[in-house]
Amino acid sequence: MLLVPPLSPPLFPATNSVLRRHCRRGIPNSRRPFVAAFSASTSDVDAFTKYSGYLFELSTSEAESLTEYNISRISAIYQNKPFVLLRRLFQIGTTFGKWFALRYYDSLTERSELMFEVRAAELRKILVQLGPAYIKIAQAISSRPDLIPPAYLDELSLLQDRITPFSTEVAFDTIEQELGLPIDALFSEISPDPVAAASLGQVYQARLRPSGKVVAVKVQRPGVRAAISLDILILRYLAGVVKTAGKFNTDLQAVVDEWASSLFGEMDYKREANNGVKFRQLYGGLQDVLVPEMYVEQTTRKVLIMQWVEGQKLSEVKDLYMIEVGVYCSFNQLLEYGFYHADPHPGNLLRTYDGKLAYIDFGMTGEFKQELRDGFIEACLHLVNRDYDALSKDFVTLGLLPPTADKEAVTKALTGVFRNAVAKGVRNISFGDLLGNLGTTMYKFKFRIPSYFSLVIRSLAVLEGIAISFNPNYKVLGNTYPWIARKVLTDTSPRLKSSLQTLLYKDGMFNIERLESLITESQRAKIGRDLVKKQVEDDNSRTAIKEILYFTLDEKGAFVREILLEEIAKGLDALGLATLDSITRAVTSNIPFTASGSFSSMTNEDITNLQNLRRLFALLSVVQETGISNTGVQGFGPNKDPRTSSNGASLIPYQFESLQKIIPLLSVVIELPQDSQQKLLRLPADLAAKLVSRVTARTIRRAFL
């Protein structure tokens, strides 16, 4: 559903013949409704009613029994209507059969390119004739310009909000029947024609009595429940046939059931209004996000009244910042609260004229359970860090793989599938690339597609599809990862804490590169139009270091703060040993008959700890000199620096050089809040305690072991 701006100011006197012709129920012409930017008139033929109207023959009691999706009840209804079922099968078969035959004839006569746009328009008309179920399927793919040819994309996009409307007379009668009042008692003004029409309903612009607020009034299309019920029954049967014939491990019928359940929920406008209220409570306060107000008390199962929103389709404005806002909002939906908009096609996402991203149409929403949210985050972490063994286990957790799958073989296959996609870096990972490369592996290892998974992936894939229509290089996952990194670093969930611990420590050794990557990426988790214009490059070192200090001193950063203190203590301990070794060598080198440089008290672990300390200082040095970089700190791995020697002694000068670079950054401390300053002042004591504990333990160990 798209709510578009009127062509003229919202209120105006009715002076043309069209408006006078549609004057209803005593509303005076001097207070005539809005003109809508919608090309179709209610005088046009309603193709769905014309070609599929026989489906409306369900009795009232049968229609009411379908308020919720129940495949058993649907089957029972159509067992008593075999001729309706056969007629529908014949209609679907002949309609699509004729279209495919024409496409085949075009290829034989070498007219495919010439007739391409014609066939695309014919396909759109066929989908409209067959009704909402097929339109919904088309909407799901109409936002992927990387998958659909432009001619078909243009035609299918019209299905989002430009379907021929049904009779306004019928719509107004439905409003009066549902709300129990005449039109002029409900609204002081209402548009004579719908401003938008979609598969399930159409929208009018009106002014409420007595508040005078401008609202959108959505009215459900007659017969949609009957048509969708029968088509779902047919699609579910076909899904079973395909699963059996193709030997798929995925329960395709369960996927159809999940989609059908959401679709039935979408036909209940009372439920949609409640979804909108919840969505507004959770996400309406996000920066540059607009969620319209719902008038729940004046909404019924077939009539919805909500705040009027004016704007343009997100896919038409080519505003990358709006995509960034959408990515951030999607992150909150999927990974923070788990309540998400499951139908974010371009008709449901608007850019308002004051520069906000508006979500409308909340009929199709989903719930992402906490354990699945954590599993999804872990899978993203393991994918980015190329830990394919852990990724194969994540797939089991997410329900994509059966527990009996050969993990070693899966790990090997995933390595081959994802190596090239991940090699380009996290910011270049595309959902299309990942899913496309995964197809063969999914079939080989009997991957399952859980019912929830298709809706979650679709909600992200649609957003990426909108973005790449005007920026082919845009990657949703790459732009979501900074928010994932920040959540992993700050979340108090025991499971994510354990995941972070496992990620940073492999075989007991601290992996500084992964911490660098997480901190660097987390600093990109920002929303602001100026940040997008600069490609999220922040060259203000003071701002960057303040953000890192805010993060590490905040309660949410306590877990990472403890890890950093522990690693700094290890590094300082190793630095002390290296200094002692250096002094010892300097002294013994002047003593005759003494072997110079043959003694070292440092172990390999001590050398690694010293290198990690250097890299921690280097991370802050890079922040000071260049701000947060796009690639993290490079070139500071073991033995990559010429000053690094096997015993670690040559690392000492670099430690002091790094310390000298960091000292000027301490001036930002006075800009921190008072409580953060107090926590910062307590850090030296905490560090000293850890260092003393470590030195004491090592001394005892070396003395008695």
Side-chain angles (χ1 to χ4, degrees):
M1 177 187 71
L2 171 66
L3 305 187
V4 292
L7 293 177
S8 54
L11 294 175
F12 70 101
T15 56
N16 63 62
S17 59
V18 174
L19 291 179
R20 283 195 295 272
R21 224 170 26 241
H22 285 283
C23 183
R24 279 190 47 96
R25 305 231 194 306
I27 304 177
N29 282 341
S30 60
R31 298 286 292 168
R32 204 74 307 243
F34 321 110
V35 168
F38 183 52
S39 59
S41 167
T42 50
S43 61
D44 294 336
V45 176
D46 177 4
F48 171 57
T49 302
K50 179 179 179 180
Y51 291 95
S52 301
Y54 63 91
L55 298 174
F56 305 173
E57 295 174 3
L58 283 172
S59 67
T60 303
S61 61
E62 289 174 321
E64 288 301 320
S65 71
L66 300 176
T67 54
E68 294 183 356
Y69 177 64
N70 186 319
I71 191 62
S72 298
R73 297 176 72 176
I74 293 173
S75 299
I77 289 173
Y78 285 103
Q79 280 180 351
N80 298 323
K81 297 180 180 293
F83 293 109
V84 174
L85 176 59
L86 291 173
R87 181 175 175 181
R88 185 61 166 176
L89 284 170
F90 180 78
Q91 180 187 12
I92 294 170
T94 55
T95 303
F96 280 118
K98 179 182 177 182
W99 185 82
F100 279 112
L102 290 172
R103 288 281 292 142
Y104 180 67
Y105 177 75
D106 292 340
S107 64
L108 290 179
T109 57
E110 298 182 351
R111 301 192 311 160
S112 294
E113 292 187 9
L114 180 64
M115 300 297 292
F116 204 72
E117 294 185 3
V118 175
R119 300 301 179 222
E122 288 176 350
L123 178 60
R124 176 182 59 81
K125 292 177 182 178
I126 287 172
L127 294 171
V128 171
Q129 292 172 10
L130 292 178
Y134 299 92
I135 292 172
K136 284 292 181 182
I137 294 172
Q139 286 176 349
I141 61 174
S142 66
S143 303
R144 297 296 308 195
D146 53 333
L147 302 177
I148 306 299
Y152 282 83
L153 190 67
D154 292 342
E155 290 292 337
L156 295 181
S157 296
L158 297 176
L159 298 176
Q160 293 164 4
D161 48 50
R162 290 296 182 269
I163 296 174
T164 306
F166 62 93
S167 164
T168 289
E169 198 75 25
V170 172
F172 283 5
D173 287 341
T174 301
I175 293 172
E176 293 181 337
Q177 291 171 10
E178 289 289 310
L179 299 179
L181 290 172
I183 287 288
D184 57 346
L186 295 166
F187 312 110
S188 58
E189 302 170 80
I190 186 168
S191 56
D193 291 319
V195 297
S199 57
L200 300 183
Q202 58 197 39
V203 179
Y204 295 85
Q205 191 180 36
R207 189 180 295 280
L208 274 178
R209 290 186 188 275
S211 65
K213 292 182 178 179
V214 180
V215 295
V217 182
K218 185 161 73 168
V219 187
Q220 191 168 114
R221 187 181 292 271
V224 292
R225 197 172 299 271
I228 286 176
S229 299
L230 179 55
D231 288 336
I232 286 174
L233 184 65
I234 294 171
L235 291 172
R236 195 176 186 278
Y237 170 77
L238 293 176
V241 172
V242 171
K243 179 180 183 298
T244 302
K247 298 181 180 179
F248 290 105
N249 197 55
T250 297
D251 188 347
L252 297 180
Q253 289 186 324
V255 173
V256 173
D257 287 338
E258 179 73 13
W259 173 68
S261 181
S262 297
L263 198 52
F264 264 76
E266 194 173 357
M267 288 187 286
D268 185 348
Y269 289 172
K270 193 75 173 179
R271 176 179 171 180
E272 178 179 345
N274 290 328
N275 288 342
V277 169
K278 183 176 181 179
F279 200 90
R280 180 181 171 93
Q281 290 172 344
L282 292 177
Y283 315 117
L286 297 180
Q287 181 177 335
D288 291 329
V289 172
L290 173 65
V291 182
E293 179 184 358
M294 298 288 165
Y295 295 87
V296 180
E297 297 300 322
Q298 294 162 289
T299 293
T300 70
R301 194 161 59 90
K302 294 183 179 180
V303 175
L304 170 67
I305 299 179
M306 59 184 282
Q307 174 188 347
W308 176 262
V309 178
E310 291 189 4
Q312 295 172 280
K313 280 186 181 180
L314 188 58
S315 57
E316 295 176 350
V317 295
K318 302 188 185 304
D319 187 343
L320 186 58
Y321 173 62
M322 287 290 98
I323 298 296
E324 294 287 350
V325 173
V327 167
Y328 176 57
C329 190
S330 293
F331 163 79
N332 277 274
Q333 292 174 49
L334 293 171
L335 302 180
E336 285 289 351
Y337 299 102
F339 181 72
Y340 62 95
H341 195 299
D343 192 23
H345 64 71
N348 291 336
L349 296 172
L350 306 181
R351 180 192 183 278
T352 65
Y353 293 114
D354 58 351
K356 292 186 177 182
L357 177 64
Y359 285 80
I360 57 177
D361 197 340
F362 304 98
M364 191 175 288
T365 58
E367 295 276 357
F368 205 20
K369 296 179 181 179
Q370 182 66 55
E371 61 268 23
L372 296 176
R373 301 204 298 267
D374 290 345
F376 188 83
I377 290 172
E378 289 171 337
C380 289
L381 284 176
H382 295 145
L383 173 65
V384 169
N385 289 281
R386 301 173 176 85
D387 191 345
Y388 301 116
D389 182 53
L391 184 62
S392 65
K393 297 175 183 176
D394 294 332
F395 282 177
V396 174
T397 301
L398 292 170
L400 294 169
L401 271 176
T404 56
D406 184 345
K407 306 295 190 304
E408 185 176 343
V410 171
T411 299
K412 184 177 179 180
L414 292 178
T415 303
V417 168
F418 292 137
R419 183 190 290 115
N420 293 334
V422 178
K424 302 174 185 178
V426 62
R427 304 182 193 186
N428 295 305
I429 298 176
S430 164
F431 270 112
D433 292 341
L434 293 180
L435 297 177
N437 295 337
L438 195 57
T440 303
T441 303
M442 291 178 69
Y443 184 80
K444 179 179 179 181
F445 291 99
K446 300 185 182 302
F447 271 58
R448 298 175 295 194
I449 305 299
S451 54
Y452 77 88
F453 191 76
S454 58
L455 292 178
V456 170
I457 293 302
R458 177 175 178 260
S459 68
L460 292 175
V462 165
L463 197 61
E464 183 172 88
I466 296 172
I468 64 178
S469 65
F470 56 91
N471 182 358
N473 297 319
Y474 191 87
K475 313 297 180 188
V476 163
L477 183 57
N479 286 274
T480 304
Y481 186 71
W483 301 104
I484 294 176
R486 173 164 290 190
K487 182 172 178 63
V488 170
L489 290 171
T490 60
D491 200 89
T492 58
S493 161
R495 179 172 173 178
L496 288 186
K497 281 185 178 181
S498 176
S499 297
L500 178 61
Q501 187 88 19
T502 304
L503 185 71
L504 297 181
Y505 290 91
K506 187 172 184 179
D507 299 326
M509 299 299 293
F510 180 62
N511 192 323
I512 182 66
E513 292 183 357
R514 289 182 173 179
L515 180 63
E516 288 171 353
S517 174
L518 284 171
I519 291 178
T520 302
E521 287 297 324
S522 70
Q523 296 307 303
R524 292 200 301 125
K526 305 171 185 176
I527 283 293
R529 190 173 290 276
D530 56 329
L531 297 173
V532 175
K533 288 180 180 178
K534 295 187 293 182
Q535 297 298 311
V536 204
E537 283 285 346
D538 185 0
D539 61 357
N540 188 333
S541 62
R542 293 180 65 84
T543 300
I545 195 64
K546 277 173 64 178
E547 289 181 355
I548 291 179
L549 286 174
Y550 273 129
F551 158 66
T552 54
L553 295 173
D554 187 77
E555 286 300 321
K556 291 184 177 181
F559 185 67
V560 175
R561 183 168 67 243
E562 285 299 308
I563 291 177
L564 290 173
L565 286 175
E566 187 66 35
E567 293 305 318
I568 291 174
K570 290 180 183 178
L572 291 176
D573 179 32
L575 179 61
L577 290 175
T579 304
L580 181 61
D581 283 355
S582 181
I583 294 173
T584 301
R585 274 189 292 273
V587 172
T588 57
S589 65
N590 296 319
I591 300 176
F593 312 109
T594 302
S596 176
S598 60
F599 171 77
S600 174
S601 62
M602 297 185 69
T603 64
N604 289 335
E605 181 182 351
D606 292 326
I607 294 174
T608 300
N609 291 336
L610 190 56
Q611 291 170 339
N612 287 340
L613 179 66
R614 182 191 66 179
R615 294 188 69 171
L616 286 171
F617 288 150
L619 177 61
L620 294 178
S621 299
V622 171
V623 170
Q624 177 195 7
E625 294 170 1
T626 63
I628 294 298
S629 71
N630 274 340
T631 57
V633 182
Q634 301 294 335
F636 292 101
N639 301 321
K640 289 186 180 180
D641 195 292
R643 291 169 289 192
T644 304
S645 67
S646 60
N647 60 18
S650 62
L651 292 171
I652 299 173
Y654 186 72
Q655 310 302 326
F656 293 105
E657 179 184 335
S658 297
L659 284 170
Q660 290 174 352
K661 290 181 180 180
I662 293 172
I663 289 174
L665 295 178
L666 297 179
S667 61
V668 303
V669 172
I670 60 175
E671 301 176 21
L672 296 174
Q674 191 69 30
D675 60 335
S676 296
Q677 292 184 31
Q678 293 175 356
K679 290 178 182 177
L680 186 62
L681 292 175
R682 288 196 295 268
L683 289 184
D686 295 339
L687 179 61
K690 290 181 180 295
L691 183 59
V692 169
S693 175
R694 183 172 179 81
V695 171
T696 302
R698 189 190 65 251
T699 302
I700 294 173
R701 185 170 61 251
R702 293 188 176 182
F704 295 100
L705 297 179

